[in-house]
Amino acid sequence: MSDAVIGFALLVALLVTGWTGKLRDWSYLGAHQNYVVAVFLYVLMFSVIAKVLGAPFDFIGFRLEHQYHLSDQKLRSWLWDECKGWLVSLVLGAIMVEIVYAIIRIAPQRWWIIAWAVFVGLFLLMAQLAPVVLLPIFYKFKPLENDGLRERLTRLGELAGTRVRAIYEWKLSEKSKKANAALTGMGSTRRIILSDTLLEHYSDDEIEAILAHELGHHVHRHILKSILVQVGITFFGFWLVNQVLRFVIARNWFPVLNPRLYDFANLPLIVLVVTILSFLLMPALNAISRRHEREADRYAWENISAIAPFISSMQKLADQNLAEREPSKLVEWLFHSHPSIGKRIAAAESWASEHQPVEAQSLT
Ligand SMILES: [Zn+2]
């Protein structure tokens, strides 16, 4: 959250003070007037400034995780992760910005539609590559060795007539004591990942309940649906960026910006529009995500033999991750991608009382 506030302040400051023009001029100087290199230098300087301003807050976050015993990661390892994270975001950010400005230069009128089409391709590519290229930069993975669990997943998958057969053990313990599980990838890279912190502390029945939940995401095609939502939002986003750029430049709100759209000094304005849009859409996106989680939970209840391991796995998750069981309504509505643990357990119990009356009685 503090990152977002700092980012926002930085963007506004760059525009209002005209410093973005200075950064642009230095970039051209450093790049010997080469446009593509200058764009990269601008992104590089921007990214260094943002990281330096955000670093104290990142460090406070690191200290807090230790204070609450959520992590015992060493400082050196954490610093190395921070460097890698910064580099990855620099590379991805630079690629996206270069693409956008290259398209603006080639087609200044229709750039936003072309850029949108290119970004759709990038989303699909990233969804495929994430588990095999992106995640391994930060974590180690290996195929799950527990044959019993693999068999259970295969059986669950067969029931659903689906193909997720790959489960990977996710070495999270080096960085965190929290437990986590996820469905990632697309097509041949589709897989369920289970953190070692989870495998260590949960019974096979509990892990099966979690696997069934992740399989629910797969059966309901939640990754594809999220990408489609992103595709729609990105279309609107690029359209909006184009409108705002033209509006602001026509009225000369920031004299430092050149009327030609390919002047990359307007990058803070583009990022500002994107930031505000994502902030405004966050409650809607989180509502979609919570809906997906409820669907995956329901899928799990329907496909495991008893509801009790699901409920006990939820309780363990809440304890291990220090999750707030009953967050305030507003906080949940704004920021939470998952329903609260309290709600998930209550929903499971009420489902069980309708569908598995004997089981539910034994719980109370
Ligand atoms: Zn989920």
Side-chain angles (χ1 to χ4, degrees):
M1 199 59 203
S2 51
D3 267 2
V5 175
I6 291 168
F8 191 84
L10 174 63
L11 294 167
V12 173
L14 283 172
L15 286 166
V16 172
T17 58
W19 292 337
T20 181
K22 285 222 167 62
L23 286 186
R24 169 197 54 207
D25 298 343
W26 292 340
S27 302
Y28 270 120
L29 215 64
H32 299 287
Q33 308 301 318
N34 179 305
Y35 183 78
V36 175
V37 179
V39 169
F40 174 74
L41 287 181
Y42 184 97
V43 175
L44 177 67
M45 286 192 278
F46 181 86
S47 150
V48 169
I49 297 170
K51 188 70 209 172
V52 168
L53 290 177
F57 298 90
D58 295 336
F59 185 67
I60 291 172
F62 170 77
R63 291 290 301 272
L64 281 176
E65 293 256 305
H66 281 68
Q67 247 164 38
Y68 287 96
H69 304 290
L70 286 169
S71 163
D72 48 16
Q73 191 180 13
K74 297 275 179 294
L75 182 65
R76 260 180 69 163
S77 148
W78 177 78
L79 284 172
W80 177 226
D81 274 353
E82 288 288 303
C83 287
K84 283 194 288 188
W86 176 73
L87 268 174
V88 169
S89 66
L90 173 66
V91 169
L92 292 179
I95 291 173
M96 291 198 288
V97 172
E98 292 282 6
I99 288 175
V100 166
Y101 282 102
I103 297 171
I104 292 181
R105 274 224 295 183
I106 297 165
Q109 291 306 318
R110 300 200 184 291
W111 73 270
W112 62 276
I113 297 187
I114 304 170
W116 168 72
V118 173
F119 271 58
V120 170
L122 279 180
F123 285 152
L124 294 172
L125 186 71
M126 288 314 292
Q128 287 229 324
L129 291 185
V132 284
V133 177
L134 219 50
L135 290 174
I137 297 177
F138 300 97
Y139 301 101
K140 293 192 198 94
F141 291 92
K142 64 170 194 224
L144 185 70
E145 272 159 13
N146 185 329
D147 288 333
L149 276 176
R150 265 218 316 276
E151 258 167 48
R152 284 187 185 210
L153 176 75
T154 309
R155 218 173 31 243
L156 284 169
E158 272 163 7
L159 274 172
T162 164
R163 278 183 322 166
V164 184
R165 298 281 155 80
I167 317 181
Y168 281 78
E169 182 180 338
W170 168 16
K171 282 251 172 225
L172 188 59
S173 55
E174 300 161 352
K175 328 245 176 189
S176 172
K177 292 181 180 172
K178 293 185 190 175
N180 211 337
L183 176 75
T184 62
M186 266 182 97
S188 60
T189 65
R190 177 58 55 87
R191 62 195 59 187
I192 290 174
I193 57 178
L194 293 174
S195 69
D196 53 352
T197 43
L198 189 140
L199 289 165
E200 201 180 320
H201 300 293
Y202 293 63
S203 74
D204 279 4
D205 284 340
E206 288 166 341
I207 296 174
E208 184 186 47
I210 291 167
L211 280 177
H213 169 96
E214 299 305 334
L215 197 64
H217 282 307
H218 173 75
V219 170
H220 287 288
R221 298 173 170 274
H222 287 153
I223 290 187
L224 184 66
K225 284 177 184 165
S226 307
I227 291 177
L228 287 177
V229 170
Q230 282 297 332
V231 164
I233 291 174
T234 313
F235 184 81
F236 175 68
F238 273 122
W239 173 84
L240 187 69
V241 164
N242 185 48
Q243 297 293 319
V244 171
L245 275 182
R246 290 181 188 282
F247 180 90
V248 167
I249 289 172
R251 275 159 191 74
N252 206 21
W253 281 7
F254 306 113
V256 65
L257 301 184
N258 189 299
R260 295 189 189 279
L261 285 194
Y262 65 73
D263 172 23
F264 51 84
N266 61 29
L267 183 63
L269 187 57
I270 297 183
V271 181
L272 201 58
V273 174
V274 172
T275 308
I276 294 172
L277 183 65
S278 350
F279 186 74
L280 293 178
L281 287 174
M282 205 157 63
L285 289 175
N286 279 330
I288 294 174
S289 169
R290 289 196 301 270
R291 185 201 163 97
H292 287 175
E293 295 305 327
R294 286 196 300 269
E295 284 174 355
D297 275 354
R298 175 173 262 276
Y299 180 88
W301 310 332
E302 285 167 354
N303 289 283
I304 51 180
S305 44
I307 203 85
F310 175 89
I311 292 176
S312 61
S313 72
M314 284 292 126
Q315 276 156 348
K316 277 191 188 174
L317 267 180
D319 292 339
Q320 198 173 353
N321 297 359
L322 295 183
E324 231 184 316
R325 278 166 205 257
E326 313 283 349
S328 85
K329 265 212 165 69
L330 183 69
V331 167
E332 186 174 350
W333 184 75
L334 280 175
F335 301 118
H336 285 199
S337 60
H338 287 59
S340 67
I341 298 271
K343 275 193 188 146
R344 292 175 79 178
I345 292 177
E349 280 168 346
S350 96
W351 182 89
S353 68
E354 277 171 39
H355 296 83
Q356 298 175 328
V358 182
E359 171 68 33
Q361 274 163 17
S362 71
L363 269 175
T364 47

